[in-house]
Amino acid sequence: ADAVEQLDAGRPQGVEALREAANLGYPEAQLHLAGLYAEGQAGVTKDLAEARLWVRRAAEGGDPKGMHAYGMYLFQGEGGDRNRPEALQWMLKAARLGLVDSQFNVAKLYEAGDEGIPVSKAEAYKWYLIAAEAGDPDASEAVKRLNAQVPAAAQRAARQAADAFKVQPAA
């Protein structure tokens, strides 16, 4: 918090304080530092590989936002190689921890399929239901759209799985 205050006040020593907190394993600091590298702000040179490194550290530390962000870096191939199956795995971890953006993105990946990710309309339907239940209006629209594409038995199974879904506690 002190580092962010320093940065907001335009003091460059805030970056070092933020880096120190990030190196101590604070996910909020890791993600904030990643943002500085991604945008090239606060005197930090834009470096997507360095940004990706910091979001990966947050992800590996168990932070759902870090998992989602790292999944997006992997999906888009920013700051390193693109790896869509691994991106899905990180987003699934964040989705299971209750991050609605990841729940929605997991559904989109299963709906469309992609390099190494098989299409599964039923799995997409389930994750859209979970995201819709969490309040995502786009997910609710996607559920309506997929109603005609997912067989009734698969819809019932997806609804049961969605109804049984419980956010996993963070490790």
Side-chain angles (χ1 to χ4, degrees):
D2 183 49
V4 173
E5 281 181 33
Q6 290 178 34
L7 289 170
D8 289 345
R11 292 192 295 255
Q13 64 268 32
V15 174
E16 283 314 307
L18 190 62
R19 190 180 323 279
E20 186 177 317
N23 278 319
L24 290 172
Y26 291 102
E28 296 86 4
Q30 292 166 335
L31 293 173
H32 198 98
L33 189 58
L36 295 180
Y37 278 109
E39 300 298 323
Q41 296 175 333
V44 173
T45 302
K46 183 173 181 170
D47 184 339
L48 292 177
E50 189 72 12
R52 181 172 167 156
L53 172 85
W54 286 108
V55 296
R56 181 178 180 169
R57 287 185 66 185
E60 289 172 344
D63 183 75
K65 289 179 182 176
M67 292 172 186
H68 179 82
Y70 186 53
M72 293 304 295
Y73 273 82
L74 288 164
F75 183 82
Q76 295 166 345
E78 290 183 338
D81 293 336
R82 184 166 78 176
N83 186 329
R84 299 234 163 128
E86 187 179 355
L88 174 62
Q89 293 310 307
W90 281 106
M91 285 190 231
L92 271 167
K93 289 178 184 186
R96 291 178 182 127
L97 291 171
L99 195 68
V100 178
D101 287 345
S102 285
Q103 293 167 350
F104 184 83
N105 284 0
V106 164
K108 282 178 61 174
L109 286 172
Y110 279 126
E111 181 180 4
D114 207 324
E115 303 164 8
I117 301 170
V119 172
S120 175
K121 301 285 184 181
E123 195 66 14
Y125 191 78
K126 176 186 88 173
W127 282 106
Y128 281 135
L129 285 169
I130 291 167
E133 180 64 30
D136 187 307
D138 292 332
S140 296
E141 289 301 314
V143 168
K144 291 176 190 171
R145 185 182 71 249
L146 285 182
N147 274 328
Q149 298 176 39
V150 178
Q155 282 185 33
R156 282 191 300 279
R159 283 193 186 280
Q160 286 177 334
D163 289 345
F165 176 79
K166 299 217 183 325
V167 171
Q168 294 177 351

